[in-house]
Amino acid sequence: MIYADNAATTKMSEAAIHTMVSLAQETWGNPSSLYTAGQRAKEALEEARSAVAAAIGAEPREILFTSGGSEADNQAIRSAAELGRKKGKTHIISTAFEHHAVLHTLKKLESEGFTVTLLPVHENGLIVPEEVEAAITDETALVTVMFANNEIGTIQPIREIGAICRARGVLFHTDAVQAVGHLPIDVMLDNIDLLSASAHKFHGPKGVGFLYARKGIRLTNLIEGGAQERGRRAGTENVPGIGAMATALTEAVAGMSESAKRLSVLRDRLIAGLSEIPHSALNGDATKRLPSNVNFCFEGIEGESLLLLLDDRGIAASSGSACTSGSLDPSHVLLAIGRVHDVAHGSLRLSIGDDITEADIEYIIQNVKEVVSYLRGFSPIWRDLVNGKKAFIL
Amino acid sequence: MALYSEKVMDHFRNPRNVGVIEDADGVGEVGNAKCGDIMKMYLKIDNDIITDVKFETFGCGSAIASSSMATELIKGKPVSEAMTLTNKAVAEALDGLPDYKMHCSVLAEEAIRSALKDYERKQRGEDVPGEEQHDEDKDENRFCCCAADTAGE
C-alpha cells in the first residue's frame, strides 16, 4: 500500500513504539504514588514534558498533556473565553476553515453569549494579518487561527498574527495539530499564547496530545477530579503514550528540515503531474503549504468513488466530498476557499510521508489520471460539460 | 468491517450496462451536482418490454452500484413490472447498503421511474423538446441525505 493520508494519521515510529512498550512493561507505576515505582513513572512523565517543551521552545511547566488535539483545542478556547468573560470581553475571532474541534467549541460559546467573527480565508487559503487586526475590538478575548490547514495544507502567517494580538493585548491560540513535528515552531518567536498538538500526526500514538499555555495563563479544567497536571487536568496520566509522544516529537524535530526539503520536491512533482489532468485545480496556495500536502478538485467526478478505486490500486488517500465527510455538504474548508459544491465533491487529498518514493509519486499520478478519466467516462455531468450544455467551472 | 458488501463492490468495480443509448425511447435524470449524486437512465423499449438499458452516474460507490443493479433488475422486464421496482429491492439485491447510503437506492428507483415516465409521455405524443426529461417537480434536495458520522481527524 502507498499510504498518502498522513494528515489523517501517521504510522508510529519504531522508536516511539519501543518507548511505549518499555514504559508499559517497566514503568507502570502511578506517577502520583510516593514509592519508588511511582516516582519512576513521574520521572518518565517529566522527562517527556521537558522533551515536548524543548521541541517548541517552551518551558516544561507550560506543557499540559491531554488526550489529543481536540481536547487541547477545547481547553485552550474555553480557558481563554473564561478569562475574557471575567473582564467583560466576549468576542472571539477565528477563521472559516478551522477544524471542527475549534468551530464546534466556538458554536457552543456563541450559545453562551459570546460573539464570534470568522475571518475569510480567501481563494489561496491564507489569512491576511491586517484583517485580523481590523477585526479586533475592545471586546476581543481571543484570536484562534490554525497553524496549517488539515485539508489544504496552507500555512498561516502565525508570527505576524501573534504579534498583532500581543500588541493589542488579546490572547492568541493556534491549532497546530498539522504543524507540530513538521514545521519549525518557537512559541516565543511566533508570539503564541496557546497551542494545541496531537501525537498521532507526527508518528506518535493516538489518544495523546498536549496543550502549550504560556505561563500566567490560567487554564479552565475540562476534567475535574484530581491534582494531576498541576490541577488542570484530572486523571492518571497516560505515561506510555506521553513518553512515546515525546520520543516521536524529538525524532520528528531532528529530521524536520531534511524531510521538508525532500517532501517539498515530491509534493511539487505530484502537483505538476496532477495539473496535467484537464479541468482540475490545486486547492490552496502552491508554495505556502505543508511539504506533505496536495489537494485537488477534479470536475465531473465524485470523491468517494475516486478513493475506492485508488484503494483498489493500493493507494490510501482522502477526499472532502459529502459522502466521505458524512454530511450533507462537502468539506467546509473547500467551500471556505470558494469552491462550489459541484467541484468540492470531486476533491482528493494526498498527504505524503517520509516513506514515499519517487516511483510511488509517479504511480499515484498515473493512477489518479486513469481513475479520473474512467469515472468521467460515465459521468452525466462530464458529458454535459463536454457537450457544452454546462459551462466548466475549473 | 468493510464499508460495503461484496455485491456493492462488485457492481461498483464492474458496473453493468454503463453508457448511453442514442435513440432511447425513454430518458430520465435525477439528483443534482450540488448534492454529489446524479443518475441518468436510458431505456430502449420494444412491445412494452425493456430490451436495453444503460446508465451514467456521477456519485459515490453505492450510487454507481445502485444504478448498475437497478438496470440489471429491469432489463428484459415489461414496463409495468419495471414501474414497481422499489429502492428496497435494489438495496436487497446488493446485499444491503449502509443506512446513510440508502438514498442511493432511492435515487436509482427514481431514475428508472423518471425514464419510464418519459417513455410514456412520448407514447402519448407529448414529446418534449430535447432528448431528456429532468424531473423538476421533485424537491432537488430530497435525496441529499448522507448522515454518517463526521470523519475523525
Side-chain angles (χ1 to χ4, degrees), chain A residues 96-139:
Chain A
F97 74 166
E98 295 296 311
H99 191 275
H100 286 122
V102 170
L103 291 177
H104 290 181
T105 304
L106 294 176
K107 260 268 161 313
K108 209 160 183 193
L109 286 169
E110 269 184 323
S111 73
E112 295 170 20
F114 280 81
T115 316
V116 175
T117 301
L118 294 184
L119 296 171
V121 294
H122 306 283
E123 209 187 326
N124 56 6
L126 293 170
I127 296 294
V128 178
E130 289 74 24
E131 292 180 356
V132 176
E133 172 123 57
I136 294 176
T137 70
D138 293 341
E139 307 289 302

mmCIF file of all heavy atoms in Angstrom, chain A residues 96-139:
data_model
loop_
_atom_site.group_PDB
_atom_site.id
_atom_site.type_symbol
_atom_site.label_atom_id
_atom_site.label_comp_id
_atom_site.label_asym_id
_atom_site.label_seq_id
_atom_site.Cartn_x
_atom_site.Cartn_y
_atom_site.Cartn_z
ATOM 1 N N ALA A 96 -12.877 30.692 8.967
ATOM 2 C CA ALA A 96 -13.936 29.836 8.447
ATOM 3 C C ALA A 96 -13.475 28.401 8.211
ATOM 4 O O ALA A 96 -14.304 27.515 8.052
ATOM 5 C CB ALA A 96 -14.475 30.427 7.150
ATOM 6 N N PHE A 97 -12.170 28.162 8.193
ATOM 7 C CA PHE A 97 -11.750 26.792 7.847
ATOM 8 C C PHE A 97 -11.002 26.071 8.965
ATOM 9 O O PHE A 97 -10.217 25.163 8.716
ATOM 10 C CB PHE A 97 -10.981 26.761 6.532
ATOM 11 C CG PHE A 97 -9.568 27.297 6.544
ATOM 12 C CD1 PHE A 97 -8.729 27.037 5.461
ATOM 13 C CD2 PHE A 97 -9.083 28.030 7.603
ATOM 14 C CE1 PHE A 97 -7.431 27.500 5.438
ATOM 15 C CE2 PHE A 97 -7.779 28.511 7.594
ATOM 16 C CZ PHE A 97 -6.950 28.241 6.504
ATOM 17 N N GLU A 98 -11.321 26.447 10.203
ATOM 18 C CA GLU A 98 -10.734 25.741 11.346
ATOM 19 C C GLU A 98 -11.245 24.300 11.408
ATOM 20 O O GLU A 98 -12.269 23.957 10.813
ATOM 21 C CB GLU A 98 -11.126 26.453 12.646
ATOM 22 C CG GLU A 98 -10.576 27.849 12.798
ATOM 23 C CD GLU A 98 -9.055 27.889 12.874
ATOM 24 O OE1 GLU A 98 -8.460 27.121 13.653
ATOM 25 O OE2 GLU A 98 -8.451 28.686 12.132
ATOM 26 N N HIS A 99 -10.559 23.506 12.193
ATOM 27 C CA HIS A 99 -11.014 22.151 12.491
ATOM 28 C C HIS A 99 -12.306 22.247 13.315
ATOM 29 O O HIS A 99 -12.510 23.230 14.030
ATOM 30 C CB HIS A 99 -9.934 21.428 13.298
ATOM 31 C CG HIS A 99 -10.178 19.962 13.441
ATOM 32 N ND1 HIS A 99 -10.976 19.439 14.429
ATOM 33 C CD2 HIS A 99 -9.734 18.916 12.706
ATOM 34 C CE1 HIS A 99 -11.014 18.124 14.301
ATOM 35 N NE2 HIS A 99 -10.275 17.778 13.267
ATOM 36 N N HIS A 100 -13.132 21.215 13.222
ATOM 37 C CA HIS A 100 -14.398 21.249 13.966
ATOM 38 C C HIS A 100 -14.191 21.286 15.478
ATOM 39 O O HIS A 100 -15.075 21.744 16.209
ATOM 40 C CB HIS A 100 -15.287 20.076 13.560
ATOM 41 C CG HIS A 100 -15.894 20.262 12.206
ATOM 42 N ND1 HIS A 100 -15.716 19.385 11.167
ATOM 43 C CD2 HIS A 100 -16.646 21.276 11.701
ATOM 44 C CE1 HIS A 100 -16.340 19.831 10.092
ATOM 45 N NE2 HIS A 100 -16.906 20.977 10.387
ATOM 46 N N ALA A 101 -13.053 20.820 15.951
ATOM 47 C CA ALA A 101 -12.783 20.901 17.392
ATOM 48 C C ALA A 101 -12.788 22.365 17.837
ATOM 49 O O ALA A 101 -13.162 22.688 18.958
ATOM 50 C CB ALA A 101 -11.438 20.255 17.721
ATOM 51 N N VAL A 102 -12.384 23.245 16.950
ATOM 52 C CA VAL A 102 -12.414 24.687 17.223
ATOM 53 C C VAL A 102 -13.804 25.251 16.905
ATOM 54 O O VAL A 102 -14.428 25.906 17.745
ATOM 55 C CB VAL A 102 -11.337 25.426 16.398
ATOM 56 C CG1 VAL A 102 -11.518 26.939 16.474
ATOM 57 C CG2 VAL A 102 -9.942 25.027 16.880
ATOM 58 N N LEU A 103 -14.300 24.977 15.705
ATOM 59 C CA LEU A 103 -15.571 25.570 15.276
ATOM 60 C C LEU A 103 -16.744 25.171 16.177
ATOM 61 O O LEU A 103 -17.584 25.995 16.507
ATOM 62 C CB LEU A 103 -15.863 25.194 13.818
ATOM 63 C CG LEU A 103 -14.942 25.837 12.767
ATOM 64 C CD1 LEU A 103 -15.280 25.325 11.373
ATOM 65 C CD2 LEU A 103 -15.032 27.367 12.808
ATOM 66 N N HIS A 104 -16.776 23.898 16.569
ATOM 67 C CA HIS A 104 -17.891 23.454 17.412
ATOM 68 C C HIS A 104 -17.800 24.029 18.823
ATOM 69 O O HIS A 104 -18.818 24.322 19.451
ATOM 70 C CB HIS A 104 -17.963 21.926 17.448
ATOM 71 C CG HIS A 104 -18.408 21.335 16.132
ATOM 72 N ND1 HIS A 104 -18.571 19.990 15.937
ATOM 73 C CD2 HIS A 104 -18.709 21.922 14.953
ATOM 74 C CE1 HIS A 104 -18.962 19.771 14.689
ATOM 75 N NE2 HIS A 104 -19.050 20.929 14.070
ATOM 76 N N THR A 105 -16.572 24.203 19.320
ATOM 77 C CA THR A 105 -16.407 24.843 20.631
ATOM 78 C C THR A 105 -16.880 26.293 20.561
ATOM 79 O O THR A 105 -17.551 26.790 21.474
ATOM 80 C CB THR A 105 -14.921 24.786 21.066
ATOM 81 O OG1 THR A 105 -14.503 23.417 21.053
ATOM 82 C CG2 THR A 105 -14.728 25.341 22.469
ATOM 83 N N LEU A 106 -16.555 26.957 19.459
ATOM 84 C CA LEU A 106 -16.981 28.351 19.286
ATOM 85 C C LEU A 106 -18.512 28.448 19.179
ATOM 86 O O LEU A 106 -19.121 29.361 19.716
ATOM 87 C CB LEU A 106 -16.322 28.965 18.049
ATOM 88 C CG LEU A 106 -14.791 29.124 18.116
ATOM 89 C CD1 LEU A 106 -14.251 29.657 16.795
ATOM 90 C CD2 LEU A 106 -14.396 30.047 19.270
ATOM 91 N N LYS A 107 -19.105 27.485 18.489
ATOM 92 C CA LYS A 107 -20.585 27.449 18.377
ATOM 93 C C LYS A 107 -21.209 27.387 19.766
ATOM 94 O O LYS A 107 -22.182 28.085 20.071
ATOM 95 C CB LYS A 107 -20.997 26.196 17.586
ATOM 96 C CG LYS A 107 -21.334 26.448 16.112
ATOM 97 C CD LYS A 107 -22.807 26.711 15.941
ATOM 98 C CE LYS A 107 -23.242 27.401 14.678
ATOM 99 N NZ LYS A 107 -22.606 28.559 14.179
ATOM 100 N N LYS A 108 -20.615 26.537 20.593
ATOM 101 C CA LYS A 108 -21.131 26.372 21.947
ATOM 102 C C LYS A 108 -20.994 27.677 22.730
ATOM 103 O O LYS A 108 -21.899 28.088 23.446
ATOM 104 C CB LYS A 108 -20.365 25.246 22.640
ATOM 105 C CG LYS A 108 -21.185 24.545 23.668
ATOM 106 C CD LYS A 108 -20.612 23.177 23.977
ATOM 107 C CE LYS A 108 -21.531 22.456 24.971
ATOM 108 N NZ LYS A 108 -20.878 21.278 25.540
ATOM 109 N N LEU A 109 -19.851 28.328 22.577
ATOM 110 C CA LEU A 109 -19.640 29.590 23.279
ATOM 111 C C LEU A 109 -20.618 30.659 22.780
ATOM 112 O O LEU A 109 -21.062 31.510 23.553
ATOM 113 C CB LEU A 109 -18.191 30.062 23.109
ATOM 114 C CG LEU A 109 -17.166 29.281 23.937
ATOM 115 C CD1 LEU A 109 -15.750 29.624 23.514
ATOM 116 C CD2 LEU A 109 -17.358 29.528 25.424
ATOM 117 N N GLU A 110 -20.939 30.598 21.499
ATOM 118 C CA GLU A 110 -21.929 31.555 20.967
ATOM 119 C C GLU A 110 -23.267 31.387 21.682
ATOM 120 O O GLU A 110 -23.923 32.369 22.020
ATOM 121 C CB GLU A 110 -22.137 31.331 19.457
ATOM 122 C CG GLU A 110 -21.213 32.170 18.593
ATOM 123 C CD GLU A 110 -21.489 32.022 17.098
ATOM 124 O OE1 GLU A 110 -21.812 30.894 16.659
ATOM 125 O OE2 GLU A 110 -21.366 33.030 16.385
ATOM 126 N N SER A 111 -23.616 30.131 21.938
ATOM 127 C CA SER A 111 -24.893 29.884 22.621
ATOM 128 C C SER A 111 -24.825 30.342 24.074
ATOM 129 O O SER A 111 -25.839 30.492 24.742
ATOM 130 C CB SER A 111 -25.260 28.397 22.544
ATOM 131 O OG SER A 111 -24.432 27.647 23.408
ATOM 132 N N GLU A 112 -23.603 30.569 24.566
ATOM 133 C CA GLU A 112 -23.437 31.055 25.945
ATOM 134 C C GLU A 112 -23.238 32.568 25.974
ATOM 135 O O GLU A 112 -22.820 33.124 26.983
ATOM 136 C CB GLU A 112 -22.241 30.361 26.608
ATOM 137 C CG GLU A 112 -22.439 28.863 26.788
ATOM 138 C CD GLU A 112 -21.165 28.147 27.226
ATOM 139 O OE1 GLU A 112 -20.241 28.819 27.744
ATOM 140 O OE2 GLU A 112 -21.089 26.928 27.036
ATOM 141 N N GLY A 113 -23.453 33.229 24.852
ATOM 142 C CA GLY A 113 -23.407 34.690 24.850
ATOM 143 C C GLY A 113 -22.186 35.319 24.190
ATOM 144 O O GLY A 113 -22.080 36.540 24.125
ATOM 145 N N PHE A 114 -21.248 34.488 23.709
ATOM 146 C CA PHE A 114 -20.077 35.059 23.033
ATOM 147 C C PHE A 114 -20.428 35.434 21.585
ATOM 148 O O PHE A 114 -21.333 34.857 20.985
ATOM 149 C CB PHE A 114 -18.910 34.059 23.023
ATOM 150 C CG PHE A 114 -18.160 34.022 24.323
ATOM 151 C CD1 PHE A 114 -18.639 33.295 25.412
ATOM 152 C CD2 PHE A 114 -16.981 34.746 24.480
ATOM 153 C CE1 PHE A 114 -17.962 33.278 26.626
ATOM 154 C CE2 PHE A 114 -16.295 34.734 25.685
ATOM 155 C CZ PHE A 114 -16.792 33.996 26.758
ATOM 156 N N THR A 115 -19.699 36.397 21.051
ATOM 157 C CA THR A 115 -19.843 36.754 19.647
ATOM 158 C C THR A 115 -18.603 36.235 18.934
ATOM 159 O O THR A 115 -17.484 36.417 19.430
ATOM 160 C CB THR A 115 -19.880 38.288 19.475
ATOM 161 O OG1 THR A 115 -20.734 38.822 20.482
ATOM 162 C CG2 THR A 115 -20.394 38.664 18.110
ATOM 163 N N VAL A 116 -18.795 35.603 17.788
ATOM 164 C CA VAL A 116 -17.662 35.026 17.061
ATOM 165 C C VAL A 116 -17.578 35.647 15.662
ATOM 166 O O VAL A 116 -18.567 35.704 14.943
ATOM 167 C CB VAL A 116 -17.802 33.489 16.949
ATOM 168 C CG1 VAL A 116 -16.692 32.911 16.086
ATOM 169 C CG2 VAL A 116 -17.787 32.857 18.336
ATOM 170 N N THR A 117 -16.387 36.109 15.312
ATOM 171 C CA THR A 117 -16.134 36.594 13.954
ATOM 172 C C THR A 117 -15.271 35.545 13.254
ATOM 173 O O THR A 117 -14.196 35.204 13.740
ATOM 174 C CB THR A 117 -15.350 37.926 13.976
ATOM 175 O OG1 THR A 117 -16.114 38.891 14.702
ATOM 176 C CG2 THR A 117 -15.084 38.431 12.564
ATOM 177 N N LEU A 118 -15.756 35.024 12.116
ATOM 178 C CA LEU A 118 -14.947 34.077 11.346
ATOM 179 C C LEU A 118 -14.368 34.807 10.146
ATOM 180 O O LEU A 118 -15.096 35.265 9.269
ATOM 181 C CB LEU A 118 -15.785 32.880 10.880
ATOM 182 C CG LEU A 118 -16.328 31.957 11.973
ATOM 183 C CD1 LEU A 118 -17.058 30.764 11.348
ATOM 184 C CD2 LEU A 118 -15.221 31.455 12.892
ATOM 185 N N LEU A 119 -13.055 34.921 10.119
ATOM 186 C CA LEU A 119 -12.398 35.653 9.034
ATOM 187 C C LEU A 119 -12.418 34.836 7.745
ATOM 188 O O LEU A 119 -12.346 33.603 7.788
ATOM 189 C CB LEU A 119 -10.945 35.946 9.413
ATOM 190 C CG LEU A 119 -10.741 36.853 10.618
ATOM 191 C CD1 LEU A 119 -9.269 36.880 11.005
ATOM 192 C CD2 LEU A 119 -11.231 38.264 10.314
ATOM 193 N N PRO A 120 -12.465 35.526 6.599
ATOM 194 C CA PRO A 120 -12.408 34.809 5.323
ATOM 195 C C PRO A 120 -10.992 34.256 5.097
ATOM 196 O O PRO A 120 -10.020 34.829 5.597
ATOM 197 C CB PRO A 120 -12.731 35.897 4.294
ATOM 198 C CG PRO A 120 -12.336 37.178 4.942
ATOM 199 C CD PRO A 120 -12.554 36.989 6.417
ATOM 200 N N VAL A 121 -10.920 33.150 4.381
ATOM 201 C CA VAL A 121 -9.599 32.547 4.160
ATOM 202 C C VAL A 121 -9.124 32.728 2.709
ATOM 203 O O VAL A 121 -8.047 32.271 2.355
ATOM 204 C CB VAL A 121 -9.582 31.053 4.538
ATOM 205 C CG1 VAL A 121 -9.799 30.898 6.018
ATOM 206 C CG2 VAL A 121 -10.625 30.276 3.766
ATOM 207 N N HIS A 122 -9.937 33.393 1.923
ATOM 208 C CA HIS A 122 -9.572 33.745 0.551
ATOM 209 C C HIS A 122 -9.321 32.516 -0.318
ATOM 210 O O HIS A 122 -9.246 31.405 0.172
ATOM 211 C CB HIS A 122 -8.393 34.714 0.536
ATOM 212 C CG HIS A 122 -8.659 35.926 1.377
ATOM 213 N ND1 HIS A 122 -9.459 36.952 0.968
ATOM 214 C CD2 HIS A 122 -8.272 36.238 2.638
ATOM 215 C CE1 HIS A 122 -9.541 37.863 1.925
ATOM 216 N NE2 HIS A 122 -8.839 37.458 2.964
ATOM 217 N N GLU A 123 -9.166 32.777 -1.621
ATOM 218 C CA GLU A 123 -9.050 31.674 -2.569
ATOM 219 C C GLU A 123 -7.777 30.861 -2.358
ATOM 220 O O GLU A 123 -7.734 29.661 -2.622
ATOM 221 C CB GLU A 123 -9.082 32.252 -3.992
ATOM 222 C CG GLU A 123 -9.668 31.283 -4.994
ATOM 223 C CD GLU A 123 -9.526 31.795 -6.412
ATOM 224 O OE1 GLU A 123 -9.594 33.023 -6.605
ATOM 225 O OE2 GLU A 123 -9.320 30.958 -7.303
ATOM 226 N N ASN A 124 -6.724 31.514 -1.872
ATOM 227 C CA ASN A 124 -5.457 30.796 -1.680
ATOM 228 C C ASN A 124 -5.389 30.084 -0.326
ATOM 229 O O ASN A 124 -4.391 29.458 0.006
ATOM 230 C CB ASN A 124 -4.265 31.747 -1.846
ATOM 231 C CG ASN A 124 -4.341 32.940 -0.904
ATOM 232 O OD1 ASN A 124 -5.226 33.010 -0.047
ATOM 233 N ND2 ASN A 124 -3.409 33.869 -1.054
ATOM 234 N N GLY A 125 -6.441 30.214 0.484
ATOM 235 C CA GLY A 125 -6.456 29.521 1.766
ATOM 236 C C GLY A 125 -5.564 30.161 2.807
ATOM 237 O O GLY A 125 -5.056 29.474 3.702
ATOM 238 N N LEU A 126 -5.373 31.484 2.705
ATOM 239 C CA LEU A 126 -4.495 32.182 3.641
ATOM 240 C C LEU A 126 -5.230 33.333 4.337
ATOM 241 O O LEU A 126 -6.003 34.059 3.709
ATOM 242 C CB LEU A 126 -3.263 32.725 2.913
ATOM 243 C CG LEU A 126 -2.299 31.663 2.358
ATOM 244 C CD1 LEU A 126 -1.258 32.300 1.448
ATOM 245 C CD2 LEU A 126 -1.616 30.902 3.493
ATOM 246 N N ILE A 127 -4.926 33.467 5.615
ATOM 247 C CA ILE A 127 -5.468 34.564 6.415
ATOM 248 C C ILE A 127 -4.586 35.795 6.187
ATOM 249 O O ILE A 127 -3.366 35.686 6.087
ATOM 250 C CB ILE A 127 -5.403 34.183 7.911
ATOM 251 C CG1 ILE A 127 -6.296 32.979 8.193
ATOM 252 C CG2 ILE A 127 -5.788 35.354 8.809
ATOM 253 C CD1 ILE A 127 -7.752 33.236 8.003
ATOM 254 N N VAL A 128 -5.224 36.950 6.104
ATOM 255 C CA VAL A 128 -4.480 38.199 5.947
ATOM 256 C C VAL A 128 -4.348 38.850 7.333
ATOM 257 O O VAL A 128 -5.361 39.168 7.954
ATOM 258 C CB VAL A 128 -5.220 39.144 4.973
ATOM 259 C CG1 VAL A 128 -4.485 40.463 4.832
ATOM 260 C CG2 VAL A 128 -5.397 38.462 3.623
ATOM 261 N N PRO A 129 -3.108 39.028 7.831
ATOM 262 C CA PRO A 129 -2.937 39.578 9.184
ATOM 263 C C PRO A 129 -3.676 40.902 9.398
ATOM 264 O O PRO A 129 -4.240 41.125 10.464
ATOM 265 C CB PRO A 129 -1.422 39.764 9.301
ATOM 266 C CG PRO A 129 -0.852 38.772 8.353
ATOM 267 C CD PRO A 129 -1.822 38.675 7.218
ATOM 268 N N GLU A 130 -3.678 41.766 8.376
ATOM 269 C CA GLU A 130 -4.364 43.059 8.519
ATOM 270 C C GLU A 130 -5.854 42.867 8.798
ATOM 271 O O GLU A 130 -6.478 43.688 9.462
ATOM 272 C CB GLU A 130 -4.189 43.915 7.246
ATOM 273 C CG GLU A 130 -2.782 44.458 7.035
ATOM 274 C CD GLU A 130 -1.785 43.392 6.581
ATOM 275 O OE1 GLU A 130 -2.206 42.367 5.992
ATOM 276 O OE2 GLU A 130 -0.576 43.567 6.830
ATOM 277 N N GLU A 131 -6.407 41.788 8.263
ATOM 278 C CA GLU A 131 -7.837 41.531 8.507
ATOM 279 C C GLU A 131 -8.080 41.053 9.934
ATOM 280 O O GLU A 131 -9.160 41.254 10.485
ATOM 281 C CB GLU A 131 -8.372 40.520 7.481
ATOM 282 C CG GLU A 131 -8.392 41.123 6.079
ATOM 283 C CD GLU A 131 -8.913 40.175 5.002
ATOM 284 O OE1 GLU A 131 -9.199 38.995 5.300
ATOM 285 O OE2 GLU A 131 -9.003 40.620 3.853
ATOM 286 N N VAL A 132 -7.059 40.404 10.511
ATOM 287 C CA VAL A 132 -7.162 40.026 11.923
ATOM 288 C C VAL A 132 -7.165 41.313 12.754
ATOM 289 O O VAL A 132 -8.024 41.519 13.610
ATOM 290 C CB VAL A 132 -5.970 39.140 12.359
ATOM 291 C CG1 VAL A 132 -6.044 38.835 13.850
ATOM 292 C CG2 VAL A 132 -5.935 37.847 11.541
ATOM 293 N N GLU A 133 -6.213 42.179 12.442
ATOM 294 C CA GLU A 133 -6.082 43.446 13.169
ATOM 295 C C GLU A 133 -7.389 44.245 13.106
ATOM 296 O O GLU A 133 -7.880 44.753 14.116
ATOM 297 C CB GLU A 133 -4.937 44.270 12.562
ATOM 298 C CG GLU A 133 -4.851 45.686 13.118
ATOM 299 C CD GLU A 133 -3.489 45.973 13.730
ATOM 300 O OE1 GLU A 133 -2.501 45.833 13.003
ATOM 301 O OE2 GLU A 133 -3.441 46.318 14.919
ATOM 302 N N ALA A 134 -7.949 44.327 11.906
ATOM 303 C CA ALA A 134 -9.173 45.117 11.721
ATOM 304 C C ALA A 134 -10.361 44.532 12.481
ATOM 305 O O ALA A 134 -11.291 45.252 12.847
ATOM 306 C CB ALA A 134 -9.497 45.212 10.230
ATOM 307 N N ALA A 135 -10.315 43.222 12.718
ATOM 308 C CA ALA A 135 -11.459 42.573 13.384
ATOM 309 C C ALA A 135 -11.401 42.700 14.908
ATOM 310 O O ALA A 135 -12.403 42.497 15.599
ATOM 311 C CB ALA A 135 -11.512 41.101 12.982
ATOM 312 N N ILE A 136 -10.216 43.018 15.433
ATOM 313 C CA ILE A 136 -10.061 43.111 16.891
ATOM 314 C C ILE A 136 -10.783 44.347 17.434
ATOM 315 O O ILE A 136 -10.654 45.439 16.890
ATOM 316 C CB ILE A 136 -8.559 43.150 17.284
ATOM 317 C CG1 ILE A 136 -7.893 41.813 16.925
ATOM 318 C CG2 ILE A 136 -8.389 43.439 18.778
ATOM 319 C CD1 ILE A 136 -6.390 41.760 17.174
ATOM 320 N N THR A 137 -11.555 44.140 18.494
ATOM 321 C CA THR A 137 -12.237 45.260 19.153
ATOM 322 C C THR A 137 -11.837 45.247 20.640
ATOM 323 O O THR A 137 -11.103 44.355 21.078
ATOM 324 C CB THR A 137 -13.774 45.128 19.072
ATOM 325 O OG1 THR A 137 -14.182 44.046 19.921
ATOM 326 C CG2 THR A 137 -14.240 44.855 17.653
ATOM 327 N N ASP A 138 -12.349 46.201 21.392
ATOM 328 C CA ASP A 138 -12.068 46.236 22.835
ATOM 329 C C ASP A 138 -12.679 45.042 23.552
ATOM 330 O O ASP A 138 -12.318 44.723 24.680
ATOM 331 C CB ASP A 138 -12.617 47.535 23.441
ATOM 332 C CG ASP A 138 -11.858 48.748 22.923
ATOM 333 O OD1 ASP A 138 -10.728 48.559 22.421
ATOM 334 O OD2 ASP A 138 -12.393 49.881 23.001
ATOM 335 N N GLU A 139 -13.625 44.409 22.874
ATOM 336 C CA GLU A 139 -14.325 43.270 23.478
ATOM 337 C C GLU A 139 -13.614 41.944 23.201
ATOM 338 O O GLU A 139 -14.016 40.908 23.717
ATOM 339 C CB GLU A 139 -15.739 43.144 22.871
ATOM 340 C CG GLU A 139 -16.574 44.412 22.921
ATOM 341 C CD GLU A 139 -17.008 44.708 24.340
ATOM 342 O OE1 GLU A 139 -17.658 43.830 24.930
ATOM 343 O OE2 GLU A 139 -16.665 45.791 24.847
#
